[in-house]
Amino acid sequence: MPAVSDSGDSVLVVGAGVVGIACAHYLSQLGFRVTVVDQGRIGGGCSHGNCGHLCASHVLPLTDPDNLRAGLRSLFDPAAPFRVKPQWRLSMLAWLWRFARRCNRRVMLESGHRMKSILDSSVVEYERLFATTGIDAQWQRRGLLYVLSTRRGMDAFAAQDEMLRDEYGVAARRIEGGDLAKFEPALREGLAGAYHYAGDASIRPDALIANWAKWLTAEGVRFQTNRRVQSVRSVGDRVSAVVTDAGEVAADHYVFATGAWSARLEADLDCPIPVEPAKGYSVTMPPPGIVPRHPMVFSEHRVAVTPFEDGFRVGSMMELAGFDTSVPPRRIRQLAESAGHYLRELRELRELKEPVDHPVHETWYGWRPLTWDSLPIIGRLPRRRNAVLATGHHMLGMTMAPATGRLVAELVSDEVPHIDPAPFSPTRFS
C-alpha cells in the first residue's frame, strides 16, 4: 500500500492483539505515525493461545440453528463444549434474544456471503505479508482437515459441505475412513472419514504476534504496554484523548481494537457495542510420537488441534460465562480426552486426571469477542468522526486480522475500501 498520509497524522490504536497489530501495520504503511497501547502485554489476550487456524472456508456464522439448539441444551450440561452459563445480566439476556432471532437458514446464508469477502481478502493479505516482510509465524498451507468419528457425523458434514460448495464455491475433498490413516497417519483406525479444505492455512499465533510486533517496532510503530484504559475523552464529535492509568495519550485518529472488552467503552464512545466474551481454552504440549501433518478440527467434539515446529496444541470450547478467569482442570482434561479419541499417540490422555499429570508447555484461556449477528464490527463510530472500531471477530480474529487492518487503514485515510464495509459498520446497532 503506498503512503498517502503526507501530513504525518498520528493514530492511537487501543489493543495489541492480532487485530490491533494488523491495524497498526496497514496504517504505518500508509505513512501514519502509529502508537499502540494495551492493558497488558502484546498479544497477551485471545491472540496468544488459540490454535492458529486461518480458515477461509469458515464462512458460516455462529447464528446456525444447530448452535441455538446446542446452546439451549448446554444450560443443563456444564460439560458441553459450547455452553451458555445461566446468568441474569440484562445485557446478556438481550444479547441472547437477538442472537436467537437470527438463528435461521436465510439469515445464516446472508451473513456467510458477507463473511466471505473479508475471509478471501485476508488470505491474499497474509500471503503478501509473509512474502514482503519475512515474518516467521510457522506459516503452513496444508489445508484444514475436519475429522468425523461416526457415519452420522459424516452425513451431517456432507450436507454442510454441499451447502458451502453451492452457496460460496468452497469445496472440500472427501476422504473415507479406510483411506484416512494413509492421508493423515496420526489418526487412529476406525474413524468414519474427513473433509479436507485445501485452501486453509495455519500459523503459530504467539510467534506471529511477537515477530510482527518486532517488525513494526523497527518500522517506527510505538508500543505502550501495561496501560489500562480508564476512560475516553471527547470534545464535540471528536475523541480528544484516551486516559490510561499511566496518563493521557492523544492523537489525530483513534482505532479501538479492544476485543472482548469493547462493550465497556459504550458510554464513552456513545455507541452500542454488543460484544460478549466467549471463553475458550487450550493446552500446548510437546509433539506426540506421530506428529499430525495437518491442523484438524474434530467437529463432533468441537475440538481443534494444530502441530507446531516445537509443540502441539489442542484447543476449543466456547463458554458464554462473562469474564470468568478460572481454568477448571476438567476443561483441560476434556480437551485431552477429545483429542485422544482421534489421535493414535494421545489416546493415553483419556486417562488424564489433572493437567500436570502429563508434560505440558502451557494451559491457557482467552475470551473471544462475539456479536449477536456473528459479524465483526469494523467502521467509523457514528458520533466520533475521528474514531474507528475494529472488534467482534469471534473465533476468526486470527483469520480476519489482515483484511480488517487494511480496511481500517482505508477508512482512516478516506481511501476507497477494497471490500464493502457496510455490513460491518457499528451503525447497524444504533
Side-chain angles (χ1 to χ4, degrees), residues 48-329:
H48 174 76
N50 65 78
C51 283
H53 294 175
L54 307 179
C55 36
S57 64
H58 202 113
V59 298
L60 293 180
L62 284 173
T63 48
D64 181 329
D66 288 341
N67 285 333
L68 177 60
R69 288 188 285 269
L72 291 173
R73 290 193 299 268
S74 77
L75 292 169
F76 310 99
D77 181 10
F82 173 49
R83 187 184 181 225
V84 180
K85 181 180 179 180
Q87 51 194 292
W88 296 106
R89 286 186 296 119
L90 290 179
S91 61
M92 178 62 174
L93 294 174
W95 191 98
L96 287 171
W97 170 246
R98 291 183 173 92
F99 176 84
R101 291 183 63 188
R102 296 185 64 83
C103 287
N104 62 74
R105 182 181 174 86
R106 178 187 62 80
V107 172
M108 179 183 71
L109 294 178
E110 288 176 358
S111 297
H113 283 288
R114 293 167 178 169
M115 288 281 288
K116 192 171 189 304
S117 65
I118 194 167
L119 292 171
D120 289 347
S121 170
S122 271
V123 171
V124 175
E125 293 302 319
Y126 263 123
E127 290 175 341
R128 181 180 294 122
L129 175 73
F130 295 131
T132 58
T133 66
I135 292 171
D136 180 12
Q138 299 187 28
W139 162 259
Q140 298 285 350
R141 285 297 300 268
R142 294 176 181 166
L144 185 60
L145 191 65
Y146 289 81
V147 185
L148 291 310
S149 65
T150 67
R151 179 53 51 186
R152 180 179 179 183
M154 280 292 283
D155 292 342
F157 203 95
Q160 177 177 304
D161 180 65
E162 181 180 6
M163 179 170 58
L164 291 175
R165 182 178 64 249
D166 294 345
E167 284 286 333
Y168 310 108
V170 177
R173 171 188 172 188
R174 178 176 172 133
I175 304 169
E176 299 298 338
D179 301 320
L180 192 53
K182 182 178 180 180
F183 184 82
E184 177 48 83
L187 292 169
R188 68 173 180 83
E189 300 286 348
L191 299 170
Y195 284 81
H196 182 232
Y197 289 88
D200 290 343
S202 67
I203 49 91
R204 175 147 188 163
D206 47 353
L208 172 67
I209 295 295
N211 292 323
W212 202 352
K214 182 178 179 180
W215 188 90
L216 287 173
T217 300
E219 291 289 303
V221 174
R222 298 175 59 212
F223 288 88
Q224 298 181 7
T225 55
N226 299 307
R227 293 197 172 187
R228 186 176 298 276
V229 173
Q230 297 177 332
S231 63
V232 179
R233 297 194 192 282
S234 298
V235 176
D237 62 354
R238 296 179 64 87
V239 173
S240 59
V242 169
V243 181
T244 77
D245 55 7
E248 291 191 4
V249 187
D252 298 305
H253 309 273
Y254 298 82
V255 176
F256 294 93
T258 41
W261 292 270
S262 298
R264 296 181 176 182
L265 297 174
E266 282 187 333
D268 283 356
L269 298 178
D270 198 15
C271 176
I273 310 175
V275 169
E276 279 289 329
K279 191 178 181 185
Y281 302 89
S282 74
V283 56
T284 307
M285 60 188 72
I290 303 177
V291 180
R293 296 173 180 173
H294 303 88
M296 290 180 277
V297 176
F298 306 139
S299 299
E300 290 159 294
H301 287 78
R302 294 181 182 260
V303 167
V305 301
T306 308
F308 300 137
E309 292 175 2
D310 56 350
F312 177 77
R313 181 167 292 165
V314 183
S316 192
M317 309 296 175
M318 182 175 289
E319 293 179 345
L320 285 164
F323 286 100
D324 173 27
T325 60
S326 64
V327 184

Side-chain angles (χ1 to χ4, degrees), residues 337-350:
E337 289 173 347
S338 296
H341 184 79
Y342 295 84
L343 297 172
R344 293 178 185 270
E345 293 291 323
L346 294 185
R347 295 194 72 179
E348 69 272 15
L349 293 185
R350 300 180 73 178

Side-chain angles (χ1 to χ4, degrees), residues 14 45 139 193-194 208 237 239 330 334 399-400:
V14 182
W139 162 259
L208 172 67
D237 62 354
V239 173
R330 61 177 175 79
Q334 189 174 351
T399 299
M400 293 191 283

Side-chain angles (χ1 to χ4, degrees), residues 11-14 23 27 239 252-258 265 269 273 377-382 384-391 404-405 407-414 424-426:
V11 183
L12 177 64
V13 178
V14 182
C23 292
L27 287 161
V239 173
D252 298 305
H253 309 273
Y254 298 82
V255 176
F256 294 93
T258 41
L265 297 174
L269 298 178
I273 310 175
I377 309 172
I378 310 166
R380 286 193 180 276
L381 288 160
R384 300 291 185 272
R385 60 189 180 92
N386 66 334
V388 172
L389 198 58
T391 185
T404 298
L407 182 57
V408 164
E410 290 162 346
L411 293 171
V412 171
S413 61
D414 292 321
F424 314 115
S425 173

